[in-house]
Amino acid sequence: MKKLLGIFYIFITTLSFGNYDYPFHNPNIATIFGSSNLMVEGVSTKVPRKEYSIKLPWTKAVGEEFWYNEGFKFSLVPQKTEAPLVFLLAGTGSSHNSIRMEYFQRIFYDAGYHVVSISSPMNNNFIINGSSSRMPGLIMEDSKDIYNIMKEINKRISKKIKVSDFYVVGYSLGATEAGILSYIDESEKEFNFKRVFMINPAVNLYNSALKLDNYLDFPENERAEKIGGLIEKIIDTVVSSTLPEYTSIDIETIYKLFSKNKLTNKEMQELIGGAFRLTSIDLNYITDVINNRKVYVKEPVGKFTPMFGYFEKINFATFDEYINRVALPYYREKLGEDLKLEQLVERARLNNIEDYLKNSSKIAVVTNADELILDESDFEFLKSTFGNRLLIYPYGGHCGNMFFSTNVKIMLEFLEKGELSHEI
C-alpha cells in the first residue's frame, strides 16, 4: 500500500455519511478556509518539483506589455523510478504552481505518482502562450489546447521519467476539462488515460461564472468605488506579504492569506466574489489587448504601465461582460454573424458529451451538496450521468474539502483501484 493510503487506514476505519466529520458546515467558510489548508497528516512538506518554460509550436509572438509571461510554464514532480503520471488541472484562472496545486503535488508524490501541473486556460500565461484562439471560454476548444499541450509536455519529459500509465485529475473548471480530455483521448489515443477524477466540476460554465459574478452585485455606477476598494485591499494584502510561497495574486493565494482573518458571512461572500472578479478583470483585459479588440484598451500599453489604472478603465469587468463584450463579438467573426449568446453558452456545457460520460467507467466525480457554483439542474445532470460514479459530500462549499483526509483517501483509492467508495 502506498504511503498515504497506509496513513489513512490508520486514522479512518469505518466511514459513513453519518460520521463525515469535515468541520466547516458553512459553505463560504469551507470555500475560503478549507480549500487553502491541507487537512491531512503525514504529507511531505517538500517534493522534487522542477519548473519548465517551453515554446509551443502554435504560440504567437508576445508583445512587450506581456514580457514577463513569455513561454508556457508547467511543473513536473518526478518519481525516481517508473510510475504512473497524473496530469493535474488547475481551477478557473489559477496557475500551475498555485497553493492548491502544490498541495495536490505533495499528496500525489507521496502516493507514488509523477505529477505534471498545468495552468487553467483562463490563466494569463495559458492565454498568451497556450491558447490557439487566445479567447478562452469554448470549453471543447480549450480542452483541445490542453490536450495538445499535454502531448508537447510528454515529448519534453519522456526522456526524464518512465511512465506506466496516465491519469487526469482536475478541480473546479479543471474538473470539467478533465472529463472532456477523457472524451478527446478516446479518439486520439495518445495517452489512453487509465482513470479520470473530477473534483467539484462546473456543469454549465457560464451559469457557474454568473453565480460568482453575483457575489459582487453592485449597480454599475457604484462598482468602481465599492469593488475598486475591495480589490485594492486584496492586492495590498497579497503584495505586503513577505512569505515566499505567495508568488501570484490568484484565488488560492487570496484565500490562504485571508483565511487567517475573522470574517463575517458578508465579508466572506465579498472575498469570494472579489477573488473571482480579479480573474474576470484579467480575462477581459488580456484578451482585449492581445487580440487588439479595443473594447476597453484603445491605446498601446507600455512595458511598465501601472495595471490598476486599467482595472479602473474596464470598470472591474465581470465574466458576463467578458462573454458579451469581448468573446461573443470575436466568435461571431469566426463562426458567423448570426451566432447568438445562447449558442455560445451551449458550447460551454458538459451536456455536450453526456453519452460518453454516462458510459465511461474510468471517470469518477465528487462534489458537495452545498456547492456554490451548481444549481438543481446541474445536480440532476451529475446524478443521471454518473450514477454510482458520483459522490456528493454533505459539506464543503466550492472545493473546500479537497484536502480533508476523508476526501483525499477516497480520491487515492479510486485512482488506485477504479472504485469510488460511498462509505464515508
Side-chain angles (χ1 to χ4, degrees), residues 232-242 254 257-258 261:
E232 207 161 9
K233 178 183 176 183
I234 289 172
I235 293 174
D236 286 348
T237 301
V238 175
V239 170
S240 65
S241 171
T242 57
I254 292 165
L257 287 170
F258 280 85
N261 299 348

Side-chain angles (χ1 to χ4, degrees), residues 258-313:
F258 280 85
S259 68
K260 300 171 184 177
N261 299 348
K262 201 168 186 179
L263 303 172
T264 66
N265 210 48
K266 184 175 184 294
E267 288 171 332
M268 285 188 286
Q269 289 179 336
E270 288 182 350
L271 182 63
I272 292 168
F276 181 71
R277 186 61 58 88
L278 270 172
T279 297
S280 299
I281 291 168
D282 223 20
L283 192 58
N284 276 278
Y285 173 77
I286 289 174
T287 55
D288 185 36
V289 171
I290 206 165
N291 292 290
N292 197 30
R293 302 303 297 174
K294 297 186 177 179
V295 175
Y296 304 105
V297 183
K298 295 183 171 55
E299 70 279 352
V301 180
K303 188 172 182 178
F304 300 109
T305 301
M307 297 301 294
F308 196 82
Y310 285 98
F311 289 4
E312 294 177 312
K313 185 161 192 165

Side-chain angles (χ1 to χ4, degrees), residues 29-49:
I29 294 175
T31 299
I32 296 171
F33 292 78
S35 67
S36 57
N37 290 283
L38 187 57
M39 305 171 71
V40 181
E41 295 184 19
V43 180
S44 295
T45 55
K46 292 184 179 180
V47 295
R49 183 173 58 251

Side-chain angles (χ1 to χ4, degrees), residues 31-155:
T31 299
I32 296 171
F33 292 78
S35 67
S36 57
N37 290 283
L38 187 57
M39 305 171 71
V40 181
E41 295 184 19
V43 180
S44 295
T45 55
K46 292 184 179 180
V47 295
R49 183 173 58 251
K50 300 179 180 180
E51 295 288 328
Y52 292 87
S53 178
I54 61 174
K55 184 172 177 59
L56 299 166
W58 58 90
T59 299
K60 300 171 187 174
V62 177
E64 72 164 16
E65 65 271 21
F66 299 118
W67 60 271
Y68 56 90
N69 236 324
E70 192 163 2
F72 183 84
K73 297 174 174 60
F74 72 94
S75 65
L76 167 69
V77 179
Q79 298 288 337
K80 293 181 179 179
T81 58
E82 183 180 49
L85 183 149
V86 169
F87 283 111
L88 181 59
L89 308 181
T92 308
S94 292
S95 67
H96 73 283
N97 61 354
S98 64
I99 292 168
R100 292 183 194 171
M101 296 291 271
E102 290 183 8
Y103 288 163
F104 275 121
Q105 289 165 5
R106 290 158 57 189
I107 289 166
F108 289 132
Y109 177 77
D110 281 357
Y113 296 91
H114 307 295
V115 188
V116 167
S117 299
I118 299 176
S119 300
S120 165
M122 294 191 182
N123 174 268
N124 51 36
N125 180 258
F126 195 113
I127 296 170
I128 294 167
N129 297 281
S131 174
S132 56
S133 67
R134 289 180 160 179
M135 192 69 70
L138 298 184
I139 198 163
M140 181 62 73
E141 284 70 16
D142 293 346
S143 298
K144 286 176 182 175
D145 286 337
I146 298 172
Y147 192 80
N148 289 331
I149 288 167
M150 285 177 170
K151 291 192 285 188
E152 293 298 319
I153 289 173
N154 196 38
K155 289 179 192 175

Side-chain angles (χ1 to χ4, degrees), residues 341-359:
L341 174 63
E342 296 74 20
Q343 293 170 308
L344 191 67
V345 169
E346 186 62 31
R347 289 169 173 257
R349 293 168 58 90
L350 265 182
N351 307 59
N352 294 316
I353 58 168
E354 181 178 357
D355 289 344
Y356 169 72
L357 296 174
K358 275 185 177 179
N359 296 292

Side-chain angles (χ1 to χ4, degrees), residues 26-32 207-219 223 226-227 230 255 264-277 280 318-319 370-374 396-398:
N26 179 314
N28 295 322
I29 294 175
T31 299
I32 296 171
N207 285 354
S208 290
L210 290 188
K211 288 179 182 295
L212 295 174
D213 271 349
N214 290 335
Y215 266 57
L216 292 181
D217 189 20
F218 299 118
R223 185 194 292 177
K226 292 189 175 180
I227 298 181
L230 175 63
Y255 287 172
T264 66
N265 210 48
K266 184 175 184 294
E267 288 171 332
M268 285 188 286
Q269 289 179 336
E270 288 182 350
L271 182 63
I272 292 168
F276 181 71
R277 186 61 58 88
S280 299
T318 65
F319 185 86
D370 59 355
E371 170 61 76
L372 304 180
I373 67 167
L374 300 182
H398 183 55

